[in-house]
Structure formats: C-alpha cells, structure tokens
Amino acid sequence: KQWYQRRVAITAGGGGSNEISCAIAVSAAADKVPSIEQYAMRAFADALESVPMALAENSGLAPFATLAEVKSRQIKEDNPRLGIDCMDAGENDMKVQHVIETLIGKKQQIMLATQLVRMILKIDDVRSPGEGE
C-alpha cells in the first residue's frame, strides 16, 4: 500500500440547491412530529433557506420570489440540483451550470453552524434572563 490514500472529492450542487433541498426535507419531517420539537425543526429549515436567500439578494434578484420559485420547482420536478441562478444564465440546474461544491465541505458547514447554535442555546439555558443584573 501507498503511504497515502487518494481521496476522491464527492461533489454536490451549489447555488443554494443543497440548502433548499435540506429545508424541504426538514420541513416534511417536522410535519410528522406532533410535539413542540416541530417548531425547532421549522426554525432550522428557515435558517437553511437563508443561504439561497442571500445568494438571490446579492445577485440582484427578488429574494423571496426567487426562493419560492426554485423551492416549488424542486418539489414539483423532484430535482434537488435546482438552485439560484446567480449568473442569469436562464438555467437553475446547478449541474448543467457546473456550479458545484464538495460534499464534505457542505457537511462541515452545516455541522459547524448547528454546533454553534446548540452551544448558544446551552449558554442561554445556564443563564436565565434577569440573573446577575
């Protein structure tokens, strides 16, 4: 064996397509949760949608309308590769536009953001409002 291993980069679509697809899946899972946890799940889905919303806004597009259109197309066409067309190429399929990112990078971004929020919530649990004032 070689002293090193060659890693193959698995890619995923860019342009916010991953975040939209994950938000759709989390919202669908929240519909099946009868407890109060569904509100946290919906908030997580809303947070995921902030990435494509920022992409649309920074590209000069109407953020809410653009996100709603792409999200409905992803559901209707069952195509998780549809993202925000920042280059105004007339195509929302990120694979066709060659807009990609590594899967491990995207996974790390979501895990780090989730860990940060959990840490903030733990701090908030320890210190109740009105303490130490």
Side-chain angles (χ1 to χ4, degrees):
K1 281 190 168 183
Q2 297 285 347
W3 59 272
Y4 65 91
Q5 285 185 318
R6 182 177 174 191
R7 289 189 169 208
V8 178
I10 299 172
T11 59
S17 61
N18 297 315
E19 289 83 357
I20 296 170
S21 182
C22 288
I24 292 168
V26 171
S27 292
D31 290 340
K32 298 174 184 167
V33 175
S35 67
I36 198 165
E37 290 178 2
Q38 68 176 292
Y39 295 110
M41 294 174 75
R42 291 188 197 290
F44 187 78
D46 289 345
L48 286 169
E49 289 177 351
S50 66
V51 173
M53 192 91 89
L55 281 171
E57 189 172 6
N58 292 338
S59 299
L61 303 169
F64 292 104
T66 305
L67 178 63
E69 177 197 348
V70 174
K71 191 174 175 181
S72 68
R73 281 189 57 202
Q74 265 201 18
I75 293 168
K76 180 179 159 191
E77 298 174 20
D78 194 28
N79 185 357
R81 294 186 313 260
L82 297 177
I84 306 299
D85 182 17
C86 296
M87 305 298 279
D88 201 24
E91 177 63 55
N92 289 96
D93 194 328
M94 296 296 109
K95 187 174 183 180
V96 172
Q97 281 200 31
H98 303 292
V99 178
I100 58 170
E101 52 190 320
T102 61
L103 182 62
I104 193 161
K106 181 53 63 182
K107 184 178 175 182
Q108 290 297 320
Q109 291 169 14
I110 292 173
M111 285 176 53
L112 181 63
T114 305
Q115 288 173 354
L116 177 67
V117 170
R118 290 178 66 196
M119 190 169 50
I120 291 170
L121 290 173
K122 280 184 182 180
I123 292 170
D124 195 40
D125 274 351
V126 171
R127 186 183 177 281
S128 299
E131 282 184 14
E133 291 181 12

